[in-house]
Amino acid sequence: MKAGGRMELREAFVGRKNRFRLLEKGLGLAGFAPGARLLEAGCATGEGPARLLELGYTRLTAVDIDAAAIEKAALRAPGCAFFCADARELPFADGAFDGIISEAAFSVIDGKERAAAQYARVLAPGGRLLLNDF
């Protein structure tokens, strides 16, 4: 991809030192228990879902708009349900998740208002959004 493209941002985010430190701290601050129904929005090639599975989160679903990334993610984290989907049109029922995690994905979405409305729609009452972005 061209300089400044999505692939370059992904590589910068995935390759940073102590990548999961903020995720793990955020999980605790958000109060996500291992039995929580979690959605990772913008999972890329599955590093985040793999780490969440390692931490004991077993009710995990993840989406990314890039079908090739989803294929890689499914191999990396086979305990997670993966979907190729646009964050602006999530294919899930209202209130389907106790929490949503989005790491370095929200900043590259065109139409953030639609994505935010979808996040709100699929969150159960009292659900929380953990957003870690540039």
Side-chain angles (χ1 to χ4, degrees):
M1 286 202 158
K2 296 178 183 177
R6 289 182 185 194
M7 187 58 70
E8 198 171 89
L9 283 173
R10 264 190 205 160
E11 290 169 2
F13 192 79
V14 169
R16 75 191 191 288
K17 187 178 177 178
N18 299 315
R19 167 160 184 213
F20 296 114
R21 185 180 63 211
L22 284 176
L23 172 63
E24 292 170 11
K25 184 175 182 177
L27 291 168
L29 291 171
F32 294 148
R37 299 168 300 156
L38 297 180
L39 171 67
E40 182 168 4
C43 67
T45 55
E47 292 86 359
R51 182 64 184 144
L52 289 165
L53 289 167
E54 288 173 4
L55 295 171
Y57 293 91
T58 58
R59 297 178 71 192
L60 186 58
T61 302
V63 298
D64 199 280
I65 199 167
D66 182 341
I70 287 292
E71 287 180 21
K72 291 177 185 175
L75 296 173
R76 179 170 278 128
C80 179
F82 288 98
F83 295 85
C84 185
D86 188 324
R88 298 167 297 185
E89 292 293 330
L90 293 172
F92 307 111
D94 296 358
F97 299 99
D98 302 312
I100 298 174
I101 297 165
S102 179
E103 291 197 296
F106 197 74
S107 63
V108 296
I109 295 173
D110 291 327
K112 289 173 182 47
E113 297 83 6
R114 281 183 59 199
Q118 286 292 296
Y119 293 173
R121 182 185 65 76
V122 301
L123 274 173
R128 295 191 174 108
L129 169 64
L130 177 58
L131 183 66
N132 177 12
D133 217 311
F134 295 101

